[in-house]
Amino acid sequence: MASSERSALLTYRLCGASGEEERGRERGRAVATGTAPRKLPTFLGVVVPTLLSMFSVVLFLRLGFVVGHAGLYQALAMFAVAYFIIGMTVLSVCAIATNGALDAGGAYYMISRALGPEFGGSIGIMFFLANVCGSALYVLGLVEALVDSFGIPLAQLTQPSGIHVLPQSYWYELLYGTVLLALCLLVCLVGASIYAKATFLIFLIVAGVLGTILVSFFAVRPLGVPIHVPHLNGSSTENGNFTGFSLATLQDNLGGGYGVDYTTGQRMSFSSVFAVMFNGCTGIMAGSNMSGDLKRPSYSIPRGTISAVLFTYLVYNLLAFLMCATCNRILLQKDYGFLRDISIFPPLVTVGIYAATLSAAMSNLIGASRILYALARDDLFGRALALAKKTSANGNPVMAVILSWLVVQLVLFSGKLNTIAGVVTTFFLLVYATVNLACLALEWASAPNFRPTFRYFTWHTCLLGIAGCCVMMFLISPVSATASLGFLLLLLLTLHYLSPSSTWGYISQALIFHQVRKYLLMLDVRKDHVKFWRPQMLLMVQNPRGSARLIDFVNDLKKSGLYVLGHVELQDLDMLPSDPLQPQQDSWLSLVDKLNVKAFVSLTLAPSVRHGVRQLLFTSGLGGMRPNTLVLGFYDDAAPQDGLAQHPAFTSTREEIPLGFPPLRAPAAPKLLSAREYVGIVADALKMLRNVLLARQLESLDKAQELRRAASPPPAIHVWPVNLLRPDSARYADTCSLFLLQMACVLNMTRAWRRTRLRLFLCVEAGTMPHAQEEKLRQLLKDLRIQAQIQLVPWDAVAQEEEEETMNFPANTTQVSDEYVCAANRLILEQGPAPVVRFLYLPRPPADTSLYPLYLHQLELLTRGLGPTVLVHGVSAVTSTQL
């Protein structure tokens, strides 16, 4: 949304600014935008949410599960792989976060502003779903802990100790989850400030519990722990043992021993255990999700996130070793809440489990709401997310919180923590891979404005992060990974075609520029070969209103070559306050988009049209991509017609008057170009070794109607590869004739023109051997791989009109009578049925510039009444009979 964009230069906050200056800027921004000022420092806004998101379900309820099934060696390997992936991602996050001012939305904001709206919007939805599923996962973990502590077993062999008042069933557990989620909703509705205070209180509790657990491994004496294991037919009791530090226990737990998960009944494997364990690493974005509420996001996110990640990695490895050295495998695998059983003060551990999981659920819920709010504010999905824009008086996006809460509630119907663990992990891995991709793209684009203050990353770290995420995604769940990628691709395509354009900047444009520049330098004109020749067109357009169909026709004729729309504005820059072409550029680019042609636009100022065309012929293109063919409309007295207003691209009722081009010239108004100057442009182009095409009456060509009509014979393209103004010129194999053949063939090869048939006319006179000439021409067409029908045309009637000139024809092409030219015109018209378009040979302009008007007059007589006609003169060899 353009109105919400802020200049990175104006809003980037220098790390060395004083606190008073920072607060002053925050207050000013709050007054200007009508939002609440940012409040949270690094520790409360980044470190605490990140630690609590990572120290939640996995630490208290699943770390023993991981170690018990995988063993110490494989558990440490899992931690190493997981933290390698998130370590690479954290480096990318820090690089992006320190490259400019951040706003609300966390990873979504980073990716959307780096990769553009398509990637940003699609990954924003994926990250929203990841946080939603993560919140549901933590709520289910809390329900599991509550039921384990206070649930009434369905069947039991012995009377358990403690208070058991909570009934157990799928619907009861869903009810408990709903109540807990409602509690999270109430906290998040109050706002980020109260959430930060609540999480800090929870952090103190969790820190105390963690200290108690570490002390317990050393202080508690060996003990047996009875474990009630539910079965289909009831439950059984097994004995787990806390042995204290024992070498035998450590040796037993070194290797893997994958068994059945008692909550789901599924046999575990490395990938399934890793999927559960990785949820303890997905909290690295908790701090960046709060970017809109941080005082200094670019300062806080790198320092806070890296500190939290290093601390959690050390704690996980330490606890894994302590568990393997003190607890037997039965205790680890069968009792997910064993830390409470071996604690020196079990109630504190219970409170810590509840507090940590509740905090993680709130963290993911508030993170999901901030992402949804950012998506809604950017209008990428239009009215679909309009409701999520509503905020409270202090700027809290209450409707986004409520919508996120509803989606989390739906996910709670899955019922079990381990059931959705794989899906959550897949979503987060996909998001992390895209964050690495964003940083990689920015690094590879080599944009001068990508200069993050955090420099401890390279494109190698980004690439390793992407590879690690993708590999683990498919190892954990190929089905979930494939479905997630398919959904991501669907979102990408939807946003590409339906989302409005943004002013964020597209990384694709920077990458394209980088690659195009590299390949243009590699495109060596000295290595050009006729086998790979293609037309590269410069079409001169005075006013697009009268040239819409000509623009479309030349687009068909370019055959994947360069296509430039040129325009000359007759003004003197010395007499103007600013460049008048800049405001016109957008109109021309919009025209290219609307007409759906693959063309560049080149505008220039000049004192005359001829000078302007010279400039464009000299300067258009770059390196090996320069126009080799000039296309002009024909110079005649026909009144210009506004074909743009009737073009299908502009006939929609939603469109205004087509773009911003001026009205067409009135029929009685003087032209901007004289006949002499027009022919001079043709002569200039030929001197500069450019091929020339003159298009007459192309605006009368209704391509859709002509090419789609059911006709027998099929629509045709008539080709006259002989100079009709030179009666003695019967050569069909000169450079110009071959170029004319090539252009007709190129047009016939395009998709829209494939139904047409080429008809090639061979002019013969009495006394010659027409069959020999026809056979020679047929062999030429065979060598050139051109399929065309050859038609013999008697030339005697035309030759009689100018018998003296035909017997002793001078070099000057203009010394033929008008009667002769009219006879040639009648001969062309007699060759029916009428084609869709005709290609005629364009003779060179005379050397004597005083004969330019006569030359143009005879071209007008030759093409009068022929309908859509293209006069062609080629100066370059374009055909090849070699492999």
Side-chain angles (χ1 to χ4, degrees):
M1 194 163 64
S3 61
S4 66
E5 290 301 311
R6 296 170 296 152
S7 167
L9 182 62
L10 294 177
T11 58
Y12 190 88
R13 293 167 298 282
L14 297 176
C15 296
S18 68
E20 187 59 37
E21 290 172 342
E22 183 67 34
R23 287 189 291 273
R25 279 195 294 271
E26 290 297 333
R27 287 192 295 269
R29 188 177 67 87
V31 172
T33 60
T35 60
R38 300 176 174 190
K39 314 176 185 68
L40 302 180
T42 302
F43 186 74
L44 287 179
V46 181
V47 176
V48 170
T50 304
L51 285 177
L52 289 179
S53 294
M54 302 179 79
F55 281 167
S56 54
V57 170
V58 172
L59 178 67
F60 294 112
L61 296 178
R62 286 299 184 271
L63 190 55
F65 161 85
V66 171
V67 175
H69 285 283
L72 180 61
Y73 290 153
Q74 292 187 36
L76 295 180
M78 288 182 183
F79 291 135
V81 171
Y83 274 83
F84 173 79
I85 292 173
I86 67 170
M88 299 300 102
T89 305
V90 165
L91 296 181
S92 298
V93 169
C94 294
I96 298 174
T98 59
N99 191 51
L102 284 179
D103 210 333
Y108 158 71
Y109 188 88
M110 296 179 191
I111 295 172
S112 62
R113 269 50 177 184
L115 298 184
E118 296 96 340
F119 258 105
S122 54
I123 289 299
I125 290 293
M126 300 300 289
F127 198 29
F128 167 76
L129 294 176
N131 277 275
V132 161
C133 293
S135 182
L137 180 141
Y138 296 129
V139 170
L140 291 173
L142 181 53
V143 170
E144 182 181 298
L146 283 171
V147 170
D148 189 51
S149 299
F150 304 109
I152 302 174
L154 297 176
Q156 55 187 17
L157 299 178
T158 61
Q159 181 66 31
S161 60
I163 302 173
H164 294 269
V165 295
L166 298 178
Q168 291 190 55
S169 71
Y170 169 80
W171 294 107
Y172 274 114
E173 291 177 7
L174 179 62
L175 175 62
Y176 306 150
T178 301
V179 173
L180 293 171
L181 183 60
L183 178 61
C184 296
L185 173 65
L186 290 177
V187 175
C188 294
L189 283 176
V190 176
S193 179
I194 191 65
Y195 161 75
K197 294 176 182 177
T199 53
F200 180 66
L201 178 62
I202 294 173
F203 172 74
L204 295 178
I205 296 173
V206 170
V209 172
L210 186 59
T212 302
I213 291 173
L214 291 174
V215 171
S216 298
F217 282 110
F218 296 92
V220 175
R221 295 181 178 181
L223 56 86
V225 180
I227 304 169
H228 300 284
V229 182
H231 301 295
L232 293 176
N233 299 324
S235 64
S236 62
T237 301
E238 297 186 31
N239 290 320
N241 292 313
F242 175 77
T243 64
F245 285 97
S246 168
L247 183 60
T249 303
L250 178 61
Q251 290 175 340
D252 289 340
N253 289 329
L254 290 179
Y258 294 101
V260 176
D261 173 26
Y262 70 85
T263 63
T264 62
Q266 297 178 351
R267 178 163 290 277
M268 294 292 99
S269 63
F270 182 92
S271 60
S272 59
V273 172
F274 181 87
V276 175
M277 184 279 301
F278 193 79
N279 285 284
C281 308
T282 56
I284 61 171
M285 291 291 189
S288 60
N289 287 346
M290 302 293 294
S291 57
D293 302 293
L294 297 173
K295 285 183 180 179
R296 298 161 63 188
S298 297
Y299 174 87
S300 300
I301 290 175
R303 289 163 176 79
T305 305
I306 292 176
S307 301
V309 168
L310 291 176
F311 181 72
T312 56
Y313 179 67
L314 293 175
V315 170
Y316 276 134
N317 281 273
L318 176 61
L319 287 178
F321 173 77
L322 294 176
M323 289 177 182
C324 285
T326 59
C327 304
N328 72 347
R329 197 176 294 272
I330 293 177
L331 180 62
L332 295 174
Q333 288 187 353
K334 303 297 185 181
D335 186 4
Y336 294 160
F338 77 97
L339 289 176
R340 179 180 59 251
D341 299 327
I342 67 171
S343 173
I344 57 176
F345 188 51
L348 183 60
V349 176
T350 302
V351 172
I353 293 174
Y354 299 163
T357 50
L358 188 65
S359 171
M362 285 192 295
S363 175
N364 279 265
L365 179 60
I366 200 168
S369 67
R370 294 308 190 265
I371 296 167
L372 187 64
Y373 172 66
L375 284 166
R377 195 178 60 179
D378 286 338
D379 278 332
L380 295 183
F381 294 90
R383 297 181 179 178
L385 297 180
L387 190 62
K389 293 182 183 179
K390 298 183 181 299
T391 62
S392 63
N394 63 352
N396 186 33
V398 290
M399 290 309 301
V401 173
I402 293 174
L403 291 174
S404 303
W405 165 74
L406 287 174
V407 181
V408 176
Q409 183 64 56
L410 293 176
V411 179
L412 288 180
F413 282 93
S414 62
K416 292 296 180 182
L417 184 153
N418 287 7
T419 303
I420 62 173
V423 176
V424 175
T425 299
T426 301
F427 279 152
F428 274 108
L429 283 171
L430 187 58
V431 172
Y432 294 166
T434 314
V435 171
N436 284 298
L437 177 63
C439 190
L440 177 68
L442 289 168
E443 179 71 7
W444 275 356
S446 300
N449 281 322
F450 182 63
R451 44 180 185 270
T453 56
F454 181 87
R455 296 302 305 167
Y456 301 102
F457 78 100
T458 67
W459 66 268
H460 304 86
T461 61
C462 303
L463 207 57
L464 287 172
I466 295 171
C469 291
C470 293
V471 168
M472 291 313 302
M473 262 200 315
F474 282 95
L475 283 179
I476 290 169
S477 176
V479 176
S480 297
T482 304
S484 300
L485 288 172
F487 183 55
L488 176 64
L489 182 61
L490 179 63
L491 287 172
L492 273 171
L493 294 175
T494 302
L495 288 173
H496 178 73
Y497 289 106
L498 299 182
S499 69
S501 59
S502 73
T503 58
W504 307 337
Y506 294 75
I507 189 64
S508 58
Q509 296 299 303
L511 290 172
I512 289 170
F513 177 88
H514 186 268
Q515 293 301 108
V516 167
R517 181 194 63 85
K518 181 172 70 174
Y519 286 117
L520 274 175
L521 291 172
M522 296 170 61
L523 189 61
D524 191 345
V525 294
R526 296 168 296 182
K527 298 179 181 179
D528 283 348
H529 194 279
V530 67
K531 290 188 297 185
F532 307 112
W533 179 91
R534 64 182 72 239
Q536 307 203 74
M537 305 291 199
L538 171 61
L539 171 62
M540 298 306 304
V541 180
Q542 195 273 322
N543 190 332
R545 290 183 179 276
S547 309
R549 288 180 174 172
L550 176 58
I551 293 171
D552 183 62
F553 177 80
V554 178
N555 186 63
D556 290 337
L557 202 58
K558 72 180 187 304
K559 186 57 179 175
S560 302
L562 178 67
Y563 183 18
V564 180
L565 297 181
H567 173 71
V568 179
E569 192 76 16
L570 298 182
Q571 296 191 56
D572 186 356
L573 189 59
D574 290 337
M575 308 300 294
L576 298 171
S578 62
D579 181 7
L581 299 179
Q582 291 300 323
Q584 299 183 28
Q585 190 77 18
D586 287 343
S587 294
W588 283 87
L589 294 176
S590 298
L591 173 75
V592 169
D593 293 337
K594 289 290 184 183
L595 296 182
N596 195 26
V597 295
K598 297 176 182 179
F600 298 95
V601 174
S602 187
L603 312 180
T604 188
L605 285 177
S608 69
V609 176
R610 185 174 182 181
H611 281 86
V613 175
R614 283 179 184 171
Q615 290 176 19
L616 293 176
L617 285 173
F618 277 125
T619 62
S620 292
L622 196 63
M625 293 190 68
R626 292 185 179 276
N628 57 28
T629 303
L630 175 67
V631 186
L632 302 172
F634 197 77
Y635 190 94
D636 55 21
D637 296 325
Q641 302 293 325
D642 192 345
L644 200 59
Q646 285 75 41
H647 195 278
F650 296 96
T651 54
S652 170
T653 56
R654 294 176 297 176
E655 292 293 338
E656 301 293 334
I657 300 299
L659 307 174
F661 299 108
L664 290 171
R665 174 183 60 85
K671 297 181 180 180
L672 300 177
L673 184 67
S674 67
R676 186 184 299 272
E677 190 177 8
Y678 177 83
V679 180
I681 292 173
V682 176
D684 291 343
L686 296 178
K687 289 177 184 177
M688 298 166 68
L689 298 182
R690 303 297 202 275
N691 310 297
V692 176
L693 274 61
L694 305 183
R696 186 173 192 186
Q697 295 187 13
L698 261 297
E699 286 305 303
S700 66
L701 172 61
D702 189 341
K703 185 177 72 173
Q705 180 179 350
E706 290 290 337
L707 299 181
R708 293 176 185 173
R709 58 185 171 87
S712 182
I717 299 173
H718 285 189
V719 183
W720 295 79
V722 66
N723 186 354
L724 296 176
L725 298 186
R726 289 285 301 270
D728 65 339
S729 176
R731 293 184 300 163
Y732 287 87
D734 68 347
T735 299
C736 185
S737 297
L738 292 177
F739 181 82
L740 189 151
L741 277 172
Q742 181 82 329
M743 297 309 298
C745 180
V746 164
L747 182 65
N748 183 231
M749 291 169 67
T750 58
R751 180 178 300 176
W753 292 80
R754 283 178 184 169
R755 287 188 61 244
T756 60
R757 297 292 180 265
L758 292 182
R759 293 183 66 192
L760 191 60
F761 294 92
L762 176 62
C763 299
V764 295
E765 296 184 46
T768 61
M769 295 184 292
H771 295 294
Q773 295 182 39
E774 181 182 2
E775 187 61 32
K776 185 177 179 181
L777 180 58
R778 197 176 301 279
Q779 183 61 41
L780 175 64
L781 293 177
K782 182 179 179 181
D783 293 340
L784 297 177
R785 289 91 60 206
I786 297 176
Q787 295 182 355
Q789 173 191 353
I790 299 177
Q791 182 170 334
L792 301 180
V793 178
W795 187 250
D796 301 275
V798 179
Q800 289 176 3
E801 294 288 345
E802 204 71 26
E803 184 174 350
E804 293 182 3
E805 284 78 5
T806 56
M807 294 182 63
N808 186 18
F809 199 84
N812 196 328
T813 60
T814 62
Q815 293 183 8
V816 290
S817 65
D818 289 353
E819 289 75 12
Y820 167 80
V821 178
C822 291
N825 173 262
R826 288 193 298 271
L827 178 69
I828 297 171
L829 285 171
E830 289 169 1
Q831 312 307 314
V836 180
V837 67
R838 289 181 172 91
F839 282 84
L840 303 184
Y841 190 114
L842 174 67
R844 271 185 174 274
D848 186 354
T849 57
S850 64
L851 297 176
Y852 280 1
L854 177 60
Y855 168 82
L856 185 58
H857 169 68
Q858 292 191 337
L859 290 181
E860 194 280 328
L861 289 178
L862 181 65
T863 57
R864 181 177 295 176
L866 297 184
T869 303
V870 182
L871 291 160
V872 180
H873 190 97
V875 296
S876 56
V878 296
T879 57
S880 174
T881 58
Q882 300 175 354
L883 289 176

